Amino acid sequence: MALGARDTQVCITCSNVKSFLAVLQTIKSTSKQPCTLIIGHEGFSARLEDDSRSLFSSVFVAAQLFADFKCPGAKRTLGIPLNQLIDILNVFSAGFGGDLNLKYPGPSNELLCEMVEESGAANACTYASISTSDAPYPADPLDHWSPPVSHFIINGAFLKEAIEDLEWSASGSRGVELQMSAQPPSVSLCSYGSAGDLLIDLPSAELQGFSCQPEGIHFTYKHKHLRAAFTSLSVPKDASASISTKVTIDSQGMVKAVHLVNMASAAKSSAMSAPISYSALPSSQAGGVRSSVIQFVVIPEEELDAPISE
Amino acid sequence: MKFKADITDHGLRLLEKGILPTLEKFGKTCQLLLGPVDIHLLQTAVNTDGAHTVVRLAHEAIFEANSLRLESKHHNLIAFTLELALLSRVLRAAGANDADLLEVKLALRNVSSGPNGVTQARPFLTFTSQGANMNMVQDLPITKPFIAEEIDKLSREKDLAQLCPYYINLQGEVSRLQGLVDKSKGISSTMTLVTTKGGAIHIHVDGGSVQLACEMHGLQVFPAGVSETATPITATSAEARLKEAIEKGQTASVCLLARHFGKSLQGGQLTQPAQLLCGIGENLGYVHLLFIFRDPLSEGGYDDNMGLSFKLPVRDDS
């Protein structure tokens, strides 16, 4: 029986806990909802739905990015409080370069983590267990994705700055309006608040892969959702790296923001911080499976039916 | 009541860089007990949130030879309370002055207090540093010197803990333990500490739905004979080894505040002892951390002139 249990247990070995942690932290939120982990033979993903049900965050790390990845049998879905998982990974990331082993399920369906380190004066073994709950396979908001779509790619720093600037006028207002027009190609973000109105045009010279439906785009979103989708990536310390983000908007106003995180250092990391770079190139161009995918989907606010102003 | 001495460069550095920052982690104030053989810096529950700290410094460790004058009516003992931050500042300034001579003495000074300028004699520790370019006098306010009974009480408190049945040497693992204790703060404020006679420590943090544990084995055990009395543990996983050690009766286990343990480890990083011994009292009533310092010039290689120890209270819910 024990052997049988081991045969069907998910076993993941992660040699770069810092990168793994950094990726998961991008979708960290204050939401009390447990995050759903989906572990299948193709990789590890975490999905989180905001309490308001209009922000969906997800992270996908391909199996190849782990030092070892065994997931016999069908896909597993499990509910786990994301903050607890991050707290625990934080403990392991402080370690001295041992491999982290993740196992599921434990004797009472926990997620088990273990790290054995042989450096230092003594042998150390750190282990943890996190209780999990049953979780149904999460509904994918992209099931309701309705073409035609409009999209653009931009250095994430511009988006981040725009969203941060909009903060003062967005508080107390209905939200942030995202406008796109096909001719001339332009993207603007604006908010009309009690403190004042602010409209920010993203520099059109920086827009790439621009495509907009001829009638233009005009939707309103909660500021905090856009902030989560556009700004939660921590900017790499070295200035040479930049974040570029692909933003796609469908005909109903559903926004999909995709960030690809290069985990090239997944091979073997030292105790130093692992370099991470962000790019929004399709994974085939960005070195195939070296990247993990962080995706945010934001649903527009209901009252957007009435256009606010021109 | 008289106290006057010249502080050595070594003593200044020792206090400023290691001892005072360590004590400041535990509380804002400390009690200073000056005696004929050594001086003690003590923090008891009145200075901290429960931990006891004791620093013992032989006169040779901080004072110039033959520079000490100490007299009092009560066994030539003087004690008072002072603020650590102020003492740190005074010593830092004196150190920066690069003085040839740093003299400290107990003094009464008339200070005016209140709006009508009533002068009052108040006790101070006066630090005089004489440098090539500058002479500096700094007055550090202290409390009224303790009366005889208070001194006796403090003298008893400096011998704070009976020695534990055995100790595990954590030096070498301090930074790893520190990382674990710091990062586990979000999970729970308390932790369970288990020592085994075989030379392992287990730390267990229980956060309800999250459990975090760490085992370190292969650590030195003192006194030397203890680890031989332990039967070897054969289990292959950390959890099973802990269970086996408990079944064989080779463990001591207590629950304590994680922040107390964390601060003690920080003391280990600040003072860099040769050995940081961690023991659990016989009745499981306290955790005792004993810092042993190195002195390459002495016979045994250890510095008997200096001692630092912490007695950490345990929680009932262990």
Side-chain angles (χ1 to χ4, degrees):
Chain A
M1 181 59 207
L3 193 72
R6 198 172 305 155
D7 280 347
T8 56
Q9 203 175 35
V10 175
C11 291
I12 304 174
T13 305
C14 177
S15 56
N16 189 345
V17 186
K18 280 198 162 71
S19 288
F20 186 49
L21 176 65
V23 167
L24 283 178
Q25 267 171 336
T26 58
I27 62 166
K28 193 177 181 177
S29 87
T30 53
S31 163
K32 293 278 183 294
Q33 298 269 358
C35 137
T36 308
L37 300 186
I38 305 163
I39 305 171
H41 59 88
E42 72 284 351
F44 175 101
S45 65
R47 294 200 192 177
L48 191 65
E49 186 181 317
D50 189 79
D51 295 333
S52 65
R53 298 181 60 81
S54 48
L55 171 70
F56 300 84
S57 322
S58 73
V59 155
F60 173 74
V61 184
Q64 292 89 330
L65 289 171
F66 294 97
D68 189 33
F69 196 96
K70 286 198 198 76
C71 178
K75 259 189 190 152
R76 319 293 157 84
T77 59
L78 52 138
I80 195 165
L82 182 64
N83 291 342
Q84 287 184 356
L85 180 61
I86 287 175
D87 281 349
I88 290 291
L89 288 177
N90 235 321
V91 174
F92 286 101
S93 73
F96 292 79
D99 285 356
L100 171 68
N101 287 304
L102 295 171
K103 289 201 175 88
Y104 175 83
S108 26
N109 276 342
E110 314 95 321
L111 178 71
L112 303 175
C113 316
E114 189 187 53
M115 183 184 269
V116 178
E117 294 168 273
E118 310 246 319
S119 62
N123 296 332
C125 173
T126 312
Y127 52 101
S129 72
I130 310 171
S131 305
T132 65
S133 52
D134 289 331
Y137 196 84
D140 191 342
L142 297 180
D143 289 347
H144 307 287
W145 190 247
S146 57
V149 301
S150 309
H151 54 79
F152 61 92
I153 297 174
I154 193 163
N155 182 332
F158 291 106
L159 277 174
K160 189 180 164 89
E161 202 176 320
I163 293 294
E164 282 168 359
D165 286 349
L166 283 166
E167 177 141 33
W168 65 271
S169 61
S171 59
S173 79
R174 272 190 281 178
V176 173
E177 200 177 309
L178 191 140
Q179 300 167 354
M180 279 177 82
S181 74
Q183 213 44 255
S186 75
V187 180
S188 6
L189 291 157
C190 56
S191 66
Y192 307 97
S194 46
D197 303 340
L198 182 63
L199 182 136
I200 297 172
D201 290 318
L202 296 179
S204 48
E206 299 286 339
L207 294 172
Q208 294 170 9
F210 185 89
S211 154
C212 180
Q213 294 310 302
E215 66 275 16
I217 292 255
H218 206 276
F219 293 104
T220 305
Y221 306 90
K222 275 211 169 73
H223 177 264
K224 66 171 186 181
H225 291 163
L226 290 186
R227 193 176 57 203
F230 293 154
T231 67
S232 56
L233 298 186
S234 58
V235 182
K237 288 281 188 305
D238 55 320
S240 61
S242 64
I243 310 164
S244 75
T245 300
K246 177 163 184 182
V247 182
T248 314
I249 302 133
D250 82 344
S251 60
Q252 300 305 307
M254 201 183 333
V255 167
K256 182 171 76 167
V258 179
H259 316 272
L260 293 188
V261 176
N262 195 337
M263 288 177 76
S265 53
K268 199 77 191 168
S269 80
S270 60
M272 293 182 298
S273 70
I276 296 179
S277 59
Y278 299 92
S279 86
L281 294 171
S283 55
S284 58
Q285 292 170 36
V289 291
R290 313 224 75 168
S291 304
S292 49
V293 183
I294 301 169
Q295 177 183 286
F296 299 92
V297 173
V298 188
I299 311 279
E301 293 292 278
E302 295 294 340
E303 65 265 70
L304 68 108
D305 297 327
I308 297 170
S309 76
E310 286 303 320
Chain B
M1 192 178 289
K2 275 201 180 78
F3 166 65
K4 194 171 118 177
D6 297 342
I7 299 178
T8 58
D9 281 350
H10 172 74
L12 177 71
R13 265 201 313 279
L14 199 66
L15 284 170
E16 187 200 336
K17 299 273 195 278
I19 290 170
L20 296 180
T22 302
L23 296 185
E24 277 182 83
K25 303 235 175 283
F26 285 94
K28 289 195 173 103
T29 56
C30 93
Q31 304 172 51
L32 189 60
L33 177 66
L34 305 164
V37 187
D38 45 23
I39 73 164
H40 284 86
L41 288 92
L42 288 125
Q43 287 176 307
T44 62
V46 297
N47 308 104
T48 68
D49 62 350
H52 282 221
T53 69
V54 178
V55 180
R56 190 189 75 85
L57 294 165
H59 293 152
E60 300 91 291
I62 57 164
F63 297 136
E64 300 279 4
N66 306 321
S67 71
L68 179 78
R69 276 190 64 198
L70 180 68
E71 280 168 35
S72 88
K73 286 181 190 142
H74 189 68
H75 310 298
N76 285 336
L77 291 169
I78 301 176
F80 47 83
T81 295
L82 50 77
E83 264 188 58
L84 287 164
L86 290 179
L87 180 58
S88 280
R89 225 159 69 195
V90 165
L91 292 179
R92 206 159 35 237
N97 190 23
D98 204 12
D100 301 328
L101 185 72
L102 175 62
E103 182 195 85
V104 56
K105 70 175 183 203
L106 195 63
L108 274 177
R109 271 182 208 284
N110 287 322
V111 284
S112 63
S113 63
N116 17 355
V118 183
T119 56
Q120 225 180 350
R122 289 252 183 91
F124 285 92
L125 265 187
T126 300
F127 291 80
T128 311
S129 61
Q130 299 176 358
N133 304 318
M134 182 162 67
N135 288 352
M136 186 158 60
V137 179
Q138 303 182 86
D139 286 329
L140 172 72
I142 57 173
T143 61
K144 233 173 89 192
F146 289 4
I147 55 170
E149 290 90 79
E150 288 173 320
I151 291 180
D152 290 341
K153 181 164 171 279
L154 198 60
S155 301
R156 283 194 301 275
E157 279 170 331
K158 78 184 192 318
D159 306 315
L160 52 80
Q162 281 183 300
L163 285 184
C164 303
Y166 63 95
Y167 289 86
I168 309 275
N169 182 12
L170 304 181
Q171 183 61 17
E173 296 302 317
V174 170
S175 60
R176 193 202 301 262
L177 277 167
Q178 180 91 66
L180 181 80
V181 172
D182 285 353
K183 298 274 171 106
S184 68
K185 272 182 195 147
I187 299 166
S188 171
S189 62
T190 60
M191 55 179 248
T192 305
L193 176 74
V194 182
T195 59
T196 79
K197 288 179 180 170
I201 74 161
H202 294 260
I203 286 174
H204 191 159
V205 182
D206 184 351
S209 57
V210 197
Q211 313 280 328
L212 174 70
C214 181
E215 178 210 40
M216 289 175 194
H217 58 102
L219 300 163
Q220 272 180 298
V221 186
F222 294 95
V226 171
S227 57
E228 275 121 59
T229 66
T231 42
I233 304 290
T234 50
T236 50
S237 79
E239 234 171 327
R241 280 194 288 270
L242 175 59
K243 209 167 150 235
E244 192 183 331
I246 291 172
E247 278 162 6
K248 288 182 174 167
Q250 300 177 4
T251 58
S253 164
V254 290
C255 179
L256 75 162
L257 279 178
R259 74 164 180 275
H260 281 162
F261 196 64
K263 286 172 182 173
S264 309
L265 294 172
Q266 283 174 347
Q269 296 199 321
L270 286 164
T271 55
Q272 294 293 332
Q275 294 174 346
L276 203 174
L277 303 181
C278 172
I280 293 176
E282 197 150 21
N283 54 358
L284 304 182
Y286 57 90
V287 175
H288 191 202
L289 289 144
L290 202 57
F291 290 57
I292 313 275
F293 293 91
R294 189 178 281 117
D295 179 9
L297 302 177
S298 80
E299 232 168 88
Y302 293 109
D303 190 347
D304 298 328
N305 287 334
M306 184 178 164
L308 172 61
S309 65
F310 302 130
K311 180 182 170 186
L312 309 178
V314 300
R315 313 270 290 184
D316 293 334
D317 48 326
S318 63

